[in-house]
Amino acid sequence: MEKFTTHTGLVVPLDIANVDTDQIIPKQFLQKTERVGFGIHLFHDSRYLDHSGKEPNPEFVLNKPEYKGTSILLARENFGCGSSREHAPWALEEFGFKIVIAPSFADIFYGNCINIGLLPIKLSEDEIDQLFAQAQGAKLNLTVDLANNNVSFINESGAKVSFSFELGKFHKYCLEEGVDSVGWTLNKLETIEAFESKMPSWQ
Amino acid sequence: MTTSTAPQTLYEKLWQTHLVEEKAGETPLLYVDRHLIHEVTSPQAFANLRFHNRPVRHPERTIATMDHNISTRSIKIDAAGEGAANQLRALEKNCKDFGIELFGMGHKNQGIAHVMGPELGLTLPGTIIVCGDSHTATHGAFGALAFGIGTSEVEHVFATQTLRQTKAKTMKVEVKGNVGKGISAKDIILAIIGKTGSAGATGYVVEYCGEAIEALSMEERMTVCNMSIEFGAKAGLVAPDQTTFDYVEGREYAPKGDIWQQAVNDWKQLKSDDNAIFDSIITLEAKDIKAQVTWGTNPGQVTSIDGIVPSPDDFNDPTEKESCVNALAYMDLIAGTKITDISVNKVFIGSCTNSRIEDLRAAASVVKDYTAKGQSVQSSIDAIVVPGSYRVKAQAENEGLDKVFSDAGFEWRLPGCSMCLGMNDDVLEEGDRCASTSNRNFEGRQGRGSRTHLVSPEMAAAAAIAGHFVDLNK
């Protein structure tokens, strides 16, 4: 996993609540045994007018030229609900997103993002509204500083606006250091074996 | 079992007995007793094991099945298309290489992971069970902490038999009193989701309790716990009791003899203490619950069979209002339409929510009432029945249920996840409207541009024959 420090990127506003992982990556694209090839199908049903994905839907926000090159997805509440498919964060990452910002995330999706190094940031409804207002008007370039747990941008009057966010200590450490979480736990095999030796026989 | 003087919830007890390590600055490490895998969310996890040259630490704690993208018309691996066949063959090879038991195509134990686990006695009270599938919550019906995980976590469990988890908040959902005649477990859980909204339990583990829950059979409890994810919960739980022990005893993988006795003694401690504190409590009166039908595009958009399609004006919250506008447009429904006036052209009876023997018996019983009156599935409707496992299929065929369905014009299929998510060829066409016993009515879930109404098996069976939703109590 790549190390995450700071990132500045263009924000694309996806103004829909309860976006589920079926919308993020529909089931017909899950039939792969590799970890790649999902980005092209991200938000397929909204992004393309046809089944085969050849005709982009000009109305869909990701297809609008002003958001080309985006790396920060701004979303509404309960983002990533539904199926546990990690293919959803894989698709977002492969498309080019480094960060997803929303007022709330579904639990499994949130964990999946952390595990692949895609940073999920929770902000208050009010802060999210402010970001939507900015991103839907002029271009919003946002800077995410993981070490200091904040996001910031320069508003139209030239002032710096900054919001802080919370992230679990270990989650932050894993993202900052690009920790191989399996390897980390394998260093604790003795502790795990000690636990196993005390388990009841039916377990 | 660890004992503690402070009153604990069932979730806290399960947490405590599985806590391998809790260290400052690290996410707590929990032990995983049972890992269920399938073809769709495991291949990349196996690939990473190979890349790092790591073994599966306890292959005997993992069981594999083929369920998500298999054909329901043929037991041939190639019948579900090239992509599916690649995943199924990869699962065969991975299980062989890493020493994992696999219930492959046509095996007598094959089935949807969340149907197969319980019926084989792989699902035990007091355990932690995970699977790369959000409906793993089903197993919570046994008082097991069971939840869906992503593929990175599948890899973590393979290599370490543990997972890092942040402790969830606790919610008690109490359903007081007894449900009325003809009200199913599906109606209970849909009514709960209708009350809380589809994200009402995000960040929580939910414990279902109350007279109406205690009265449910194990299969009904599974239906309730199955849809915990549909209101955002990480997991759902029902405290194990005699109903649970009676169900588990004697099953193939369940403990036997002295170990069984020891297990039951331990399991009897698995309930929330009287004074345990929950972070949130929701109460429903069972007598108020009517048969449920979803009208929208998330499971919280649900109403009673005697209700009407709501109007955006019925919602105060701006997000709910807008979701209603979008849902009505997608579902092609007009506010004020009676639910019983909604016609369907497809019917799906199946999925990890409602494909067990009791579900099939309930649906068949409704079908028999209609056929006694000379009625069968409307010619304009395609209706399929997909049993949850080969064991369910065999049992249903022993009881002649397959014939009840086929004679009435339903197609009797082979087990699998099928049209719940449409990864195989059981997909709805654009504009189709389906009465479905599955768990998600998301846009495009059963096929791009298709419309899903979530209902009980009884309601789905009646809709196939009447052509529209029916209040079976009238």
Side-chain angles (χ1 to χ4, degrees):
Chain A
M1 204 163 83
E2 271 182 53
K3 292 185 184 184
F4 195 111
T5 50
T6 61
H7 176 81
T8 300
L10 178 66
V11 175
V12 62
L14 182 69
D15 199 359
I16 309 167
N18 300 311
V19 170
D20 57 72
T21 52
D22 275 87
Q23 282 171 263
I24 298 173
I25 181 89
K27 68 264 174 185
Q28 64 268 36
F29 307 114
L30 307 184
Q31 292 186 335
K32 288 186 168 65
T33 54
E34 310 83 28
R35 171 74 163 65
V36 292
F38 301 102
I40 191 173
H41 305 300
L42 179 70
F43 293 116
H44 179 274
D45 287 3
S46 315
R47 197 166 143 207
Y48 303 105
L49 294 169
D50 61 328
H51 284 280
S52 57
K54 293 201 173 74
E55 280 179 66
N57 172 7
E59 297 299 312
F60 186 59
V61 71
L62 282 191
N63 291 331
K64 296 195 172 171
E66 59 266 39
Y67 298 115
K68 197 172 163 53
T70 177
S71 58
I72 303 176
L73 181 66
L74 178 64
R76 292 292 186 183
E77 67 193 56
N78 196 28
F79 188 80
C81 60
S83 156
S84 60
R85 59 189 70 163
E86 194 168 303
H87 312 67
W90 292 344
L92 288 163
E93 183 197 38
E94 200 177 316
F95 181 86
F97 288 115
K98 304 273 185 210
I99 294 145
V100 185
I101 303 176
S104 58
F105 294 92
D107 295 332
I108 302 175
F109 177 83
Y110 186 88
N112 287 343
C113 287
I114 297 278
N115 285 333
I116 69 159
L118 177 69
L119 175 59
I121 295 180
K122 286 185 221 177
L123 294 177
S124 72
E125 295 275 0
D126 177 57
E127 290 162 346
I128 294 285
D129 284 343
Q130 289 184 52
L131 292 180
F132 266 98
Q134 289 285 331
Q136 286 168 334
K139 273 192 174 183
L140 172 61
N141 278 294
L142 198 70
T143 296
V144 175
D145 179 353
L146 182 58
N148 292 303
N149 284 46
N150 72 48
V151 303
S152 60
F153 62 96
I154 308 296
N155 70 9
E156 39 309 328
S157 11
K160 184 174 172 180
V161 181
S162 179
F163 304 139
S164 62
F165 62 88
E166 285 181 24
L167 189 69
K169 263 190 193 167
F170 191 65
H171 288 166
K172 183 171 170 173
Y173 175 77
C174 288
L175 288 165
E176 284 181 328
E177 300 299 323
V179 170
D180 161 23
S181 64
V182 174
W184 180 274
T185 303
L186 281 174
N187 286 330
K188 295 171 180 280
L189 271 188
E190 278 184 24
T191 311
I192 299 170
E193 282 165 3
F195 178 91
E196 285 172 329
S197 69
K198 291 182 200 149
M199 280 165 53
S201 49
W202 56 262
Q203 198 174 325
Chain B
M1 292 261 148
T2 311
T3 49
S4 166
T5 47
Q8 288 182 307
T9 62
L10 171 55
Y11 170 63
E12 285 156 350
K13 290 181 183 183
L14 293 167
W15 177 274
Q16 213 59 51
T17 52
H18 287 81
L19 191 59
V20 174
E21 186 181 68
E22 189 169 26
K23 254 177 103 172
E26 289 186 27
T27 308
L29 191 65
L30 296 182
Y31 198 76
V32 173
D33 300 299
R34 183 70 69 197
H35 187 195
L36 304 175
I37 62 167
H38 60 86
E39 70 276 17
V40 178
T41 58
S42 65
Q44 295 86 353
F46 281 115
N48 266 3
L49 288 182
R50 284 199 178 89
F51 178 79
H52 290 286
N53 200 21
R54 289 169 178 158
V56 172
R57 197 161 162 268
H58 277 296
E60 78 285 1
R61 289 185 178 274
T62 297
I63 295 275
T65 187
M66 295 177 172
D67 59 3
H68 272 64
N69 63 22
I70 57 175
S71 169
T72 58
R73 299 169 196 269
S74 162
I75 62 162
K76 292 203 174 84
I77 274 186
D78 289 311
E82 197 186 336
N86 285 342
Q87 285 190 326
L88 295 167
R89 291 213 166 86
L91 184 65
E92 281 183 334
K93 176 167 171 34
N94 288 330
C95 287
K96 188 160 174 274
D97 290 357
F98 288 89
I100 292 166
E101 189 170 14
L102 165 69
F103 303 140
M105 297 306 295
H107 190 286
K108 69 176 169 52
N109 290 343
Q110 189 196 3
I112 304 174
H114 316 311
V115 176
M116 173 272 287
E119 71 186 4
L120 293 179
L122 288 162
T123 302
L124 298 179
T127 56
I128 287 188
I129 301 171
V130 298
C131 174
D133 185 283
S134 61
H135 292 108
T136 307
T138 310
H139 309 266
F142 292 77
L145 180 60
F147 50 91
I149 57 177
T151 300
S152 296
E153 292 175 309
V154 170
E155 182 193 346
H156 195 280
V157 177
F158 279 155
T160 72
Q161 207 56 44
T162 64
L163 264 186
R164 291 193 181 278
Q165 289 291 305
T166 308
K167 202 167 182 184
K169 292 180 282 185
T170 54
M171 178 185 286
K172 175 159 100 169
V173 175
E174 185 173 4
V175 188
K176 291 185 166 171
N178 296 306
V179 291
K181 181 177 159 280
I183 299 304
S184 72
K186 184 68 163 283
D187 299 315
I188 295 176
I189 187 61
L190 283 172
I192 292 169
I193 299 168
K195 189 174 166 101
T196 58
S198 63
T202 302
Y204 289 88
V205 164
V206 174
E207 182 176 345
Y208 304 96
C209 60
E211 224 177 332
I213 301 295
E214 287 162 24
L216 297 176
S217 70
M218 285 317 295
E219 295 196 358
E220 291 170 323
R221 292 178 191 183
M222 285 186 238
T223 299
V224 170
C225 287
N226 172 275
M227 289 189 71
S228 299
I229 186 78
E230 267 62 66
F231 63 123
K234 179 95 182 182
L237 293 167
V238 176
D241 58 12
Q242 198 57 45
T243 305
T244 321
F245 311 145
D246 290 346
Y247 177 96
V248 176
E249 190 171 13
R251 290 186 186 262
E252 197 170 328
Y253 288 81
K256 308 274 181 329
D258 290 347
I259 299 177
W260 169 256
Q261 278 315 322
Q262 189 201 329
V264 173
N265 289 341
D266 286 349
W267 295 343
K268 283 181 176 165
Q269 315 303 314
L270 292 173
K271 53 188 167 198
S272 291
D273 296 327
D274 287 342
N275 301 318
I277 295 163
F278 289 84
D279 297 305
S280 173
I281 297 176
I282 286 171
T283 308
L284 283 84
E285 294 293 337
K287 64 175 168 42
D288 298 339
I289 299 174
K290 295 174 180 169
Q292 303 284 303
V293 179
T294 63
W295 52 267
T297 52
N298 75 57
Q301 292 177 322
V302 64
T303 192
S304 301
I305 183 65
D306 59 357
I308 56 170
V309 174
S311 150
D313 297 337
D314 297 338
F315 301 93
N316 294 321
D317 177 76
T319 304
E320 283 189 49
K321 201 184 271 290
E322 197 186 331
S323 292
C324 179
V325 171
N326 294 338
L328 294 186
Y330 183 84
M331 294 295 289
D332 191 27
L333 289 172
I334 297 164
T337 304
K338 282 184 181 175
I339 296 298
T340 48
D341 285 344
I342 299 174
S343 300
V344 299
N345 69 328
K346 295 281 164 74
V347 171
F348 169 59
I349 298 176
S351 86
C352 59
T353 314
N354 281 132
S355 65
R356 297 179 182 83
I357 191 66
E358 290 175 15
D359 297 313
L360 302 186
R361 283 179 192 145
S365 160
V366 170
V367 172
K368 273 195 253 181
D369 288 345
Y370 277 102
T371 43
K373 293 184 280 185
Q375 289 179 274
S376 56
V377 174
Q378 302 238 336
S379 56
S380 58
I381 294 179
D382 291 329
I384 63 172
V385 184
V386 184
S389 70
Y390 275 87
R391 286 183 180 242
V392 171
K393 178 174 176 284
Q395 178 69 28
E397 288 171 359
N398 270 338
E399 296 178 21
L401 304 185
D402 58 323
K403 205 163 165 351
V404 172
F405 288 118
S406 317
D407 288 352
F410 290 84
E411 271 186 72
W412 178 249
R413 296 284 189 88
L414 301 175
C417 295
S418 181
M419 200 183 274
C420 173
L421 81 167
M423 271 195 80
N424 63 358
D425 54 352
D426 300 331
V427 187
L428 295 180
E429 301 289 326
E430 196 146 353
D432 275 351
R433 187 180 296 281
C434 183
S436 179
T437 67
S438 55
N439 40 55
R440 292 197 173 123
N441 51 346
F442 295 156
E443 285 186 22
R445 168 82 175 177
Q446 295 185 295
R448 186 175 176 157
S450 69
R451 299 162 184 140
T452 302
H453 296 275
L454 302 177
V455 293
S456 69
E458 296 91 323
M459 183 72 76
I465 297 173
H468 55 84
F469 294 115
V470 178
D471 190 344
L472 289 165
N473 274 346
K474 281 192 178 161

